[in-house]
Amino acid sequence: MGAGVICALIFSGCSNAPAGVNGSNFVNTENSTSFFAMDTVMDLKIYGSEDLLVEAESKVNNLEDRLSVTNPESEISIINRDKIGRLSKESAEILEGALEVCRDTDGALDVSIYPVLKDWGFTTGEYRIPEETEIEDLLENVDYKKIAVNNAKDGSATVEIPEGMEIDLGSVVKGYTGQMLAEYFKENGVESAIINLGGNVQCLGKKPNGEKWNIAIKSPFLESKSGILGVLKAEDTSVITSGGYERYFEQDGHIYWHIIDPATGSPANKGLASVTIIGDNGLRGDALSTALFVKGFDEAIQYWKDHGDFEAIFVNNVGDVFITEGLEGNFELSSEYVAAKLTIIKK
Amino acid sequence: MKKNDFILIAVILIIAITALLGQRFLLGGNPDSPMVVVTIDGVEYGRYPLDEDREERISLEDGSYNVLSISDGEVQMKEASCPDQICVMHRPIHSSNDPIVCLPNRVIVIIENGEDSSIDTITN
């Protein structure tokens, strides 16, 4: 009798039965997926129906089909080839959102930098250092102000660009997509989700246990042991980092990275190692993380002070960390960087 | 309880403990210990204990390849046929949530049950 009880205890203790019963509470089931799209890896985790993930993946593929510069049939490729073409409503909104940041940052972001990026080999991985005259020639056709957009009543747009120009929305499309997916999940009753599109993070709500999401900010320094600069607690927001460390090559002792300053046609180098933007608008966060990296520390701080409708984490080349005041209490340096100088920027 | 009950309990306990120890030390490691998991285009290719040094050549059908090296509790991409070499330049990893990705070959290396599990995701 006694042995029977103990047997039951032992065997039940060894079984791997699920700890909780979710059958009646389907919306809170954790579901995740991981797939390749937009030249990166997309990780989606939601507390909600698996069907939503299937639909999310098809939304991403659909957007990529229309915007990819490597798909010769995409709306963007047709504009780049014929110098005139039509953007569907969603594509037109993305271009408009990008152009707004181009204007607002005086061209620190420029969606027409693509031919220069290609010339350096950053789009293929076949890296090279272009001749100065090559860059000068290419820069003549880099100017977002020469992109003519004519909006139609239905929200679509006809876009015309000058001979020699090519445009690419790669600097904003992942930020846009993260936000679009979060809105889609929310409309379908999901209260908690975390979306990581190749390092661009969008979180919906909080974790199911009511805590904020813990989002690690990658260290921009190659010699880092842990790879993690610090951890940000966040909810219902996008968190997007840009840094030279993401894609670069080394030649003759110099490091050349993929964030090109549209003013010089060469890698942007104004003292920053990485810029993280935290805000409601994923498209804008994606665009600003690049644009403020290009602007450099002083101008980036000034931009934040003038606008202030987002938060930011700046890391300079010597490893000092600066966070905007709204992040105070929600950001902590990792144990590896606990001795780094951390400054809170106030208005 | 009778004497036989105690004998039965003792035998069951011995069997249970032996089975647990066997699982941990003889049959390829504790299921909760850190594992290196490799996927190619979303399909699992292999899993290897993080605490056993080894080198693994991942060969793809089209002739491209990645060479994975597990050493001293860390894993890194030692070599790869891809043009951008981003996976090779990725620092060795030992914790969860910082995957090594080779986009051209669609190879992803992650660690399951690694440390830092309090982190939900990582930006870069």
Side-chain angles (χ1 to χ4, degrees):
Chain A
M1 177 60 202
V5 172
I6 289 182
C7 273
L9 284 176
I10 288 172
F11 290 115
S12 69
C14 285
S15 81
N16 277 326
V21 179
N22 280 326
S24 61
N25 200 6
F26 184 59
V27 280
N28 287 330
T29 308
E30 178 183 323
N31 278 302
S32 60
T33 185
S34 196
F35 57 93
F36 286 89
M38 296 181 178
D39 210 15
T40 192
V41 182
M42 314 218 145
D43 287 304
L44 278 53
K45 181 160 85 178
I46 66 170
Y47 293 84
S49 159
E50 205 175 353
D51 297 345
L52 296 176
L53 291 178
V54 176
E55 180 59 24
E57 185 171 347
S58 98
K59 277 176 178 292
V60 172
N61 290 333
N62 180 288
L63 205 53
E64 182 176 17
D65 284 346
R66 283 183 281 153
L67 297 179
S68 161
V69 281
T70 51
N71 166 14
E73 298 307 314
S74 76
E75 295 172 6
I76 289 288
S77 291
I78 289 169
I79 293 170
N80 286 340
R81 188 190 66 203
D82 301 343
K83 308 304 166 197
I84 187 162
R86 185 182 160 275
L87 288 184
S88 54
K89 185 168 180 274
E90 195 177 19
S91 311
E93 281 168 9
I94 296 169
L95 175 64
E96 191 41 54
L99 286 174
E100 235 177 82
V101 177
C102 295
R103 289 190 285 266
D104 208 29
T105 59
D106 299 319
L109 181 81
D110 197 316
V111 292
S112 64
I113 196 71
Y114 182 60
V116 181
L117 209 61
K118 266 202 298 195
D119 205 35
W120 282 87
F122 286 114
T123 55
T124 57
E126 282 150 21
Y127 304 123
R128 60 187 282 274
I129 302 170
E131 298 290 330
E132 256 176 57
T133 50
E134 256 175 82
I135 293 181
E136 279 169 24
D137 287 350
L138 290 173
L139 281 181
E140 289 195 5
N141 293 309
V142 174
D143 186 355
Y144 65 93
K145 290 184 231 119
K146 293 181 183 160
I147 302 170
V149 183
N150 289 303
N151 288 301
K153 273 190 185 151
D154 64 358
S156 69
T158 305
V159 177
E160 200 172 348
I161 58 174
E163 206 50 49
M165 182 184 279
E166 286 180 274
I167 58 173
D168 175 25
L169 298 176
S171 57
V172 300
V173 74
K174 289 200 284 288
Y176 168 82
T177 306
Q179 192 189 340
M180 179 269 287
L181 291 177
E183 280 164 12
Y184 167 71
F185 292 141
K186 197 175 176 179
E187 281 164 15
N188 285 280
V190 177
E191 290 173 357
S192 182
I194 191 137
I195 298 163
N196 189 329
L197 311 181
N200 289 19
V201 173
Q202 178 88 37
C203 48
L204 171 60
K206 295 181 184 180
K207 292 199 259 190
N209 66 7
E211 289 174 13
K212 291 183 179 181
W213 300 98
N214 292 317
I215 299 168
I217 310 295
K218 199 159 193 162
S219 163
F221 302 108
L222 307 174
E223 65 276 12
S224 169
K225 281 260 177 291
S226 67
I228 292 169
L229 176 85
V231 177
L232 177 74
K233 290 193 180 301
E235 63 177 290
D236 260 329
T237 192
S238 65
V239 183
I240 297 174
T241 304
S242 280
Y245 65 90
E246 294 168 282
R247 188 169 282 218
Y248 64 92
F249 67 97
E250 209 173 328
Q251 195 167 313
D252 304 326
H254 287 278
I255 285 180
Y256 301 90
W257 54 67
H258 72 298
I259 304 177
I260 302 288
D261 184 342
T264 64
S266 293
N269 198 357
K270 289 197 182 153
L272 287 173
S274 80
V275 174
T276 302
I277 305 290
I278 298 101
D280 292 337
N281 185 328
L283 185 156
R284 184 158 174 257
D286 201 357
L288 279 181
S289 66
T290 305
L292 297 192
F293 185 94
V294 168
K295 275 183 173 289
F297 184 70
D298 293 338
E299 281 189 44
I301 299 295
Q302 195 53 50
Y303 185 93
W304 174 76
K305 287 185 175 173
D306 292 345
H307 295 75
D309 49 351
F310 62 93
E311 303 295 336
I313 301 169
F314 302 101
V315 186
N316 69 14
N317 281 344
V318 292
D320 299 335
V321 181
F322 303 82
I323 63 172
T324 53
E325 56 189 347
L327 300 180
E328 208 177 344
N330 282 315
F331 177 76
E332 222 172 87
L333 292 164
S334 71
S335 53
E336 184 180 357
Y337 289 98
V338 77
K341 194 175 156 207
L342 178 67
T343 308
I344 294 156
I345 312 166
K346 295 184 189 289
K347 283 208 175 140
Chain B
M1 284 196 283
K2 290 181 185 156
K3 189 181 164 197
N4 280 347
D5 284 343
F6 285 108
I7 291 172
L8 184 57
I9 291 167
V11 168
I12 289 167
L13 281 177
I14 287 165
I15 291 171
I17 290 166
T18 312
L20 277 176
L21 291 177
Q23 189 182 29
R24 186 177 285 258
F25 295 111
L26 302 174
L27 301 173
N30 179 346
D32 292 333
S33 68
M35 296 292 282
V36 178
V37 181
V38 179
T39 57
I40 303 176
D41 209 1
V43 179
E44 187 169 315
Y45 170 89
R47 50 176 63 224
Y48 319 97
L50 185 62
D51 55 7
E52 281 174 28
D53 291 3
R54 72 183 288 154
E55 207 169 285
E56 183 70 26
R57 189 183 166 95
I58 303 157
S59 299
L60 285 86
E61 279 171 14
D62 64 354
S64 32
Y65 63 90
N66 294 72
V67 180
L68 198 70
S69 164
I70 303 174
S71 162
D72 296 329
E74 290 190 322
V75 56
Q76 65 177 317
M77 204 68 91
K78 211 175 146 189
E79 254 182 78
S81 59
C82 59
D84 62 23
Q85 297 288 297
I86 286 175
C87 57
V88 178
M89 288 190 279
H90 197 290
R91 65 174 62 78
I93 60 169
H94 62 276
S95 58
S96 305
N97 293 311
D98 188 14
I100 300 176
V101 177
C102 179
L103 278 175
N105 293 349
R106 302 204 156 197
V107 169
I108 303 181
V109 180
I110 60 160
I111 292 172
E112 272 183 13
N113 302 316
E115 53 184 81
D116 290 341
S117 54
S118 66
I119 291 171
D120 296 302
T121 195
I122 181 164
T123 73
N124 64 1

